[in-house]
Amino acid sequence: MSVKKHFIKKIQNKQVTIGVIGLGYVGLPLVIEFLKKKFSVIGFDNDFNKINKLKKNQSYINYISLDSLSKKQIENFLPTDDFSNIENVDVIIICLPTPLNKRNNPDMTYINNGLRQMKNYLKEGQLLILESTTYPGTTKDLIYPLLAKKKFNIGKNFFVSYSPERQDPGNSNFGLKETPKLVSGATSNCLKISHKLYSMIVDTVVEVSSLEVAELTKLYENIFRSVNIGLANEMKIICENLKINLYDVIDAASSKPFGFLPFYPGPGLGGHCIPIDPYYLKWIAKKNNVDAKFIELSAKINNSMPFYVVEKIKSALKNFNKKIRKSKILIIGVAYKKNVDDTRESPSLKIIQILNENNANVDYYDPYVPFLKQSRNYKLGLKSRKINKHMLAEYECVVLLTDHDILNYKLIKKYSKIIIDTRGKFKGNQINIFNA
Ligand SMILES: NC(=O)c1ccc[n+]([C@@H]2O[C@H](COP(=O)([O-])OP(=O)(O)OC[C@H]3O[C@@H](n4cnc5c(N)ncnc54)[C@H](O)[C@@H]3O)[C@@H](O)[C@H]2O)c1
């Protein structure tokens, strides 16, 4: 039997051990899905706190739970920071962060560190898959040289694939299983093996023609969102001056069954993907002598939104003869999107920072985020307040930034002196409610 056929048979019989590198928002759900299907999984992370929690069968992300796993399935999971365990896996799936560096260019440090840590333990017969979002060409740029040093023969005795993660955190209709999975392979053997692997945990696997097509498709999907959100944000500013409610326009346009997709304005972009991915494409385009003008412009509009929101706060306060300086301002929602606890790149952090620079007294309330720790970019160190009618009345201005479903909108509307609404939750022209 050929190596490919043997590998596929082992996957079919669940005789392969899966190694997941990086147990974060992408890696952990993947671990759970493989465990549910009765595979053995070794999860690698260099964060001891996460490993320790996982060893006690506890998740550290609010919407990802290990509770649905049986005792036997949990026993098949080994969380570890010891990369020598790479020797004991058949499949290695890399789910490491791909942020931007200080110059807003791709930062491959995490991927390179992960590869460095595993390199001595790689062995013939393994399948290595990259899932991190990245520029087209990454798999070949970073992984091929490593495998060449090991003298592996790609497609014959070692297999390489790129398969982007497409999850939408907090989306209850489309989880990992329901979202079609793109797979690509370095060779047709690599493609067939990785197709088989993912078909064990997802409903639909979509093969694409090359590693680069899969890498670029993921970027294109996210940039499609960021460009359209940029357009919605520009429309918001135009509509404000025209005194037309943009949300009514979007509702009306959504009645068209073809050619239109609704995108909504907001206080700016957040999360690990949408604010970052345009810069990945811009970088690789520039390297290939193209200016990504359109993509850059939408990123610029989206990045300007936190400043726009603060200007709206200032002018709303002015309407009530108040100044931003020393005003008590309550931010509602610091997660970058609704119903999640993730604050990475959240525009709320930027808005709090700008308000602090304006000497406002800022507090926040977010039922999903009890603390805002100091981070690399933001030295905020705040604790979420509890919301009630008395505390709402303490604030000169309440700013809705994240529209979590569990918020008590009636309470907020009734007891806030001024509301700045960046999510279109409080429709209607009321003297104390301003869209931003
Ligand atoms: N979060 C999302 O919604 C989402 C969706 C689609 C794609 N992605 C992409 O998936 C990738 C991972 O994103 P994420 O959100 O899961 O990141 P994350 O920060 O939640 O998780 C990454 C994990 O890797 C660990 N880690 C870092 N360096 C390590 C190392 N050298 N060895 C072992 N572990 C290490 C971290 O401790 C962390 O637990 C990124 O490329 C991201 O763009 C994310």
Side-chain angles (χ1 to χ4, degrees):
M1 196 188 291
S2 71
V3 179
K4 176 189 86 179
K5 279 199 178 142
H6 181 62
F7 207 143
I8 288 177
K9 196 165 168 220
K10 271 178 75 178
I11 294 172
Q12 179 65 40
N13 294 336
K14 304 183 179 180
Q15 287 164 339
V16 290
T17 299
I18 315 288
V20 176
I21 321 293
L23 303 175
Y25 287 87
V26 168
L28 198 50
L30 203 57
V31 167
I32 293 170
E33 236 28 76
F34 277 112
L35 289 174
K36 274 191 200 162
K37 295 291 178 209
K38 303 191 173 79
F39 283 89
S40 295
V41 182
I42 304 183
F44 300 79
D45 205 289
N46 62 0
D47 183 328
F48 294 112
N49 292 330
K50 290 178 187 173
I51 293 293
N52 285 338
K53 271 203 142 180
L54 290 169
K55 278 189 173 155
K56 291 182 206 149
N57 306 334
Q58 291 166 0
S59 166
Y60 61 93
I61 300 173
N62 78 354
Y63 65 93
I64 302 174
S65 164
L66 304 180
D67 294 349
S68 61
L69 296 170
S70 68
K71 199 165 168 266
K72 191 140 192 271
Q73 288 165 349
I74 281 280
E75 279 168 9
N76 283 336
F77 179 39
L78 172 68
T80 180
D81 62 339
D82 179 359
F83 271 74
S84 68
N85 281 302
I86 288 287
E87 278 177 348
N88 303 321
V89 303
D90 303 283
V91 177
I92 302 157
I93 308 180
I94 301 178
C95 307
L96 292 170
T98 43
L100 297 170
N101 64 20
K102 281 192 178 139
R103 293 169 161 188
N104 277 348
N105 291 335
D107 178 358
M108 292 290 119
T109 317
Y110 292 92
I111 307 270
N112 280 327
N113 285 346
L115 291 171
R116 195 167 32 75
Q117 282 165 291
M118 73 177 73
K119 86 171 181 246
N120 291 339
Y121 307 105
L122 294 173
K123 58 176 194 189
E124 280 187 12
Q126 289 175 321
L127 165 65
L128 177 60
I129 305 172
L130 181 61
E131 282 218 11
S132 304
T133 307
T134 186
Y135 66 87
T138 306
T139 311
K140 281 190 181 157
D141 283 356
L142 304 189
I143 294 177
Y144 277 31
L146 182 80
L147 301 180
K149 273 192 199 147
K150 303 278 298 183
K151 302 209 170 17
F152 291 144
N153 190 343
I154 299 175
K156 294 268 190 299
N157 64 9
F158 198 93
F159 304 93
V160 178
S161 166
Y162 178 81
S163 176
E165 174 48 55
R166 295 166 121 182
Q167 64 162 275
D168 181 17
N171 187 333
S172 49
N173 294 327
F174 291 97
L176 207 158
K177 186 171 175 298
E178 296 78 22
T179 308
K181 190 93 175 94
L182 294 185
V183 292
S184 65
T187 67
S188 66
N189 279 353
C190 303
L191 181 62
K192 294 298 169 221
I193 295 169
S194 46
H195 183 145
K196 181 68 193 175
L197 180 80
Y198 284 114
S199 73
M200 303 300 283
I201 57 161
V202 304
D203 296 340
T204 312
V205 176
V206 181
E207 288 188 5
V208 304
S209 55
S210 69
L211 298 166
E212 291 82 0
V213 166
E215 289 164 336
L216 185 54
T217 304
K218 170 67 191 177
L219 284 188
Y220 186 44
E221 289 169 1
N222 281 353
I223 292 166
F224 174 79
R225 279 186 63 71
S226 76
V227 164
N228 278 288
I229 293 169
L231 175 64
N233 281 330
E234 186 165 54
M235 282 292 289
K236 171 169 79 173
I237 299 167
I238 295 170
C239 279
E240 193 201 326
N241 285 20
L242 293 175
K243 302 202 173 14
I244 297 171
N245 187 326
L246 174 62
Y247 294 94
D248 290 344
V249 175
I250 296 173
D251 282 352
S254 301
S255 66
K256 191 178 177 187
F258 49 87
F260 181 82
L261 282 175
F263 284 87
Y264 295 92
L269 294 181
H272 197 319
C273 299
I274 312 288
I276 290 169
D277 297 354
Y279 292 97
Y280 269 65
L281 193 61
K282 184 189 145 189
W283 177 81
I284 193 72
K286 186 90 194 152
K287 258 186 103 177
N288 288 276
N289 309 316
V290 185
D291 279 333
K293 297 193 205 91
F294 198 54
I295 293 166
E296 215 170 323
L297 180 62
S298 55
K300 204 169 148 194
I301 293 173
N302 291 327
N303 289 341
S304 73
M305 294 323 291
F307 297 93
Y308 174 79
V309 172
V310 172
E311 285 311 307
K312 292 291 288 192
I313 296 171
K314 279 186 190 166
S315 83
L317 286 167
K318 204 170 162 204
N319 279 358
F320 287 79
N321 291 322
K322 294 194 168 133
K323 288 208 166 108
I324 196 160
R325 194 181 148 77
K326 298 215 167 125
S327 277
K328 281 195 76 166
I329 295 175
L330 180 68
I331 297 297
I332 298 190
V334 290
Y336 80 88
K337 67 182 278 192
K338 68 175 179 174
N339 307 337
V340 302
D341 62 357
D342 191 349
T343 59
R344 287 177 298 174
E345 311 290 326
S346 171
S348 304
L349 309 182
K350 182 78 192 166
I351 289 169
I352 294 174
Q353 187 193 49
I354 307 170
L355 289 170
N356 284 339
E357 283 162 11
N358 279 274
N359 297 312
N361 290 325
V362 188
D363 288 317
Y364 86 91
Y365 162 64
D366 191 315
Y368 290 104
V369 188
F371 305 102
L372 265 184
K373 291 184 217 135
Q374 310 270 8
S375 68
R376 192 157 53 98
N377 295 331
Y378 298 101
K379 306 275 170 259
L380 300 173
L382 292 172
K383 199 171 154 194
S384 174
R385 288 208 62 187
K386 289 212 165 61
I387 199 165
N388 60 50
K389 62 181 183 184
H390 301 295
M391 78 72 99
L392 281 169
E394 283 173 29
Y395 293 92
E396 262 92 41
C397 182
V398 170
V399 188
L400 177 69
L401 294 181
T402 316
D403 51 344
H404 295 305
D405 289 338
I406 59 170
L407 294 179
N408 186 339
Y409 291 100
K410 272 193 190 148
L411 185 89
I412 296 167
K413 189 168 179 184
K414 193 161 174 196
Y415 295 102
S416 304
K417 288 179 192 150
I418 299 174
I419 297 177
I420 305 292
D421 177 10
T422 67
R423 297 289 182 177
K425 282 306 249 192
F426 302 102
K427 284 191 186 170
N429 286 330
Q430 293 204 16
I431 192 150
N432 66 331
I433 300 181
F434 302 85
N435 286 322

